[in-house]
Structure formats: structure tokens, C-alpha cells
Amino acid sequence: MKNLCIATVVLALSGCASVMTAEEQSIKVTASNNQPIEVTVDDKKTTTPGMVVVLRDGKDKVVTSTTPGCHTATPIKKTIAPVFWGNIIIGGVLGSTTDGSTGKMWNYADSVEVTCAAQ
């Protein structure tokens, strides 16, 4: 009975990344020269320093800039969300497949810096 209670608590407190992870993520974007530059991520524009909200879909994200002297494309790093690993143990193939298909198994970097020439 004790094992059943422990198992129930573990299952109740655990969840797959598709349930436990937000659908969107905010990413801070800065420029290395500390100057305001206009950047775009997933067709969303902002001026640095600024925030851009992206859909957590597992796709590669790139910060683009047309500002002279700045890199035109800066990739945003992504990592697997820790909750995904627990889901593999508890949810098995079904849970991990769901996380993979929704893209919510991925966390994007909280911030990214666009490299620009010093002015």
C-alpha cells in the first residue's frame, strides 16, 4: 500500500514537457557594442536591448540583423528541457513522442548577443 501511495504521488507530481512547459518563451536580445540595433526572430522585430517572445516549437531560431557591422545571423542555442528526461522514465515512448512532436521538449537560451563591430 505504501508503494502504491508513493507511486501515485510521483505520477501526480510529474508531467511531460508538453504539459509542464509554457508554449512560448521570452528571449533577451542584446548587441555586443551596446548600441540599439533592430533585430528579427521568427518575423518578430525588436530593438536591442529588448525581448522577443518565440513559440517553443523545437525549430532552430536565428536572430537576424541588417545593421552594418553586425552579424547578419546569430543562432539561438537550444537544449532539452529537464522535465523531458523524467517523462521518458515515467511516460515511456508515448510521452516522449508527444513532447518531441509538440517541440516543448526544447528550451531556448534565455539571452543572445548579436556580435557587432565596436564603434
Side-chain angles (χ1 to χ4, degrees):
M1 184 65 166
K2 182 179 177 184
N3 290 339
L4 180 61
C5 288
I6 291 172
T8 302
V9 168
V10 168
L11 286 174
L13 295 177
S14 66
C16 64
S18 298
V19 174
M20 302 290 291
T21 306
E23 189 169 306
E24 296 178 326
Q25 180 179 342
S26 297
I27 300 172
K28 181 179 180 183
V29 184
T30 58
S32 65
N33 63 1
N34 294 321
Q35 298 296 317
I37 64 170
E38 189 173 286
V39 296
T40 305
V41 180
D42 286 352
D43 297 325
K44 297 176 183 174
K45 293 183 179 191
T46 191
T47 302
T48 64
M51 299 289 284
V52 64
V53 178
V54 298
L55 184 62
R56 194 183 306 255
D57 57 9
K59 295 179 182 174
D60 292 335
K61 306 292 183 190
V62 177
V63 178
T64 58
S65 173
T66 57
T67 303
C70 295
H71 285 181
T72 56
T74 305
I76 300 173
K77 294 181 181 179
K78 66 180 179 179
T79 58
I80 296 176
V83 71
F84 173 74
W85 299 114
N87 191 33
I88 287 179
I89 295 168
I90 296 170
V93 174
L94 179 62
S96 60
T97 301
T98 301
D99 289 345
S101 67
T102 64
K104 290 185 181 178
M105 66 181 270
W106 297 102
N107 282 334
Y108 295 103
D110 291 328
S111 64
V112 64
E113 182 178 76
V114 176
T115 303
C116 298
Q119 292 184 353

